[in-house]
Amino acid sequence: MDVPKEYVQSAFSQLLGCRLQRLDTGVAEVALALEPHLRNRGQKLHGGAIFSLVDIAMGLACSASHGFDQQSVTIECKINYMRAVSDGEVLCTARVLHAGRRTLVVDADVFQGDKLVAKAQGTFAVL
């Protein structure tokens, strides 16, 4: 899917260092490398950075589902963290499971290589 850069990047996603890897109808893949400013006190990738990555990827999947001419916002999101990330990069894949007229339900997985780091599900409102 070919979309102008300004539609897929925000100041916040750039601040974190998120990089869009793939965008198809209802699907978005976004990568994030573990940089020093994303570490928690235990020197692991901060859970808030992972959650932000998930929310960014889910939002892009929503836009890729209903079109970038409409907006959607997060109503709720639940995440389970499976393992800590000490170095390297993670990849979040978000998929729209249900696209209604008013809401979308989105599923996301965060992997480091073949290891599941986090699993999330969210609901988005179409504005």
Side-chain angles (χ1 to χ4, degrees):
M1 178 176 280
D2 193 24
V3 180
K5 187 176 176 180
E6 61 270 14
Y7 288 142
V8 296
Q9 286 187 338
S10 68
F12 185 64
S13 67
Q14 290 176 349
L15 177 71
L16 288 177
C18 293
R19 296 178 332 276
L20 180 64
Q21 301 296 300
R22 180 170 72 104
L23 192 62
D24 290 319
T25 304
V27 179
E29 285 186 354
V30 182
L32 179 64
L34 176 51
E35 299 292 340
H37 67 280
L38 298 177
R39 291 185 183 275
N40 63 19
R41 291 178 292 128
Q43 301 307 305
K44 308 296 186 209
L45 180 58
H46 196 287
I50 296 171
F51 190 91
S52 293
L53 169 66
V54 164
D55 193 49
I56 289 163
M58 285 181 164
L60 286 168
C62 287
S63 293
S65 177
H66 58 55
F68 284 84
D69 57 333
Q70 279 190 296
Q71 289 186 327
S72 52
V73 294
T74 311
I75 294 175
E76 62 82 31
C77 187
K78 182 235 188 288
I79 191 166
N80 290 98
Y81 299 97
M82 312 301 180
R83 65 186 323 93
V85 176
S86 299
D87 57 20
E89 182 173 282
V90 294
L91 180 68
C92 178
T93 303
R95 291 178 185 82
V96 173
L97 301 177
H98 169 76
R101 288 185 306 113
R102 295 190 177 132
T103 61
L104 299 101
V105 177
V106 188
D107 181 74
D109 295 311
V110 180
F111 277 90
Q112 184 174 40
D114 62 350
K115 294 186 165 83
L116 183 63
V117 171
K119 175 90 176 153
Q121 188 173 65
T123 307
F124 287 70
V126 179
L127 301 181

